[in-house]
Amino acid sequence: MINDEELPIGLTMELAMHADTLNRFSRLPRAEQQAYIDGARMIGSREEMRNYVEHMFHNEDTFS
């Protein structure tokens, strides 16, 4: 997994509150993790970050 200092604090906090998402995120290849991290850096509020984390794998679930 990517070092904590590379993760935006809001992403870290939300992942900590969503263990299932954190587990899935930690199993991703580094390039895919980085794409989510880059997306998180564009988020401007706590509510948006919560929504981002809660829906990180939403599209994948619909095809499983």
Side-chain angles (χ1 to χ4, degrees):
M1 188 167 164
I2 295 183
N3 294 332
D4 288 338
E5 65 251 8
E6 295 180 32
L7 292 172
I9 189 69
L11 178 60
T12 302
M13 292 173 65
E14 284 302 321
L15 285 173
M17 296 188 340
H18 295 85
D20 56 330
T21 303
L22 174 59
N23 287 332
R24 288 180 75 175
F25 177 81
S26 68
R27 289 190 306 263
L28 292 173
R30 184 169 172 85
E32 289 182 46
Q33 288 179 353
Q34 191 62 52
Y36 281 112
I37 292 167
D38 293 343
R41 288 195 172 113
M42 306 303 291
I43 294 175
S45 74
R46 184 178 188 181
E47 184 177 326
E48 289 174 5
M49 185 64 76
R50 181 177 305 120
N51 188 49
Y52 182 73
V53 170
E54 288 176 352
H55 295 93
M56 284 175 92
F57 300 107
H58 180 71
N59 289 338
E60 291 178 18
D61 291 339
T62 60
F63 298 110
S64 299

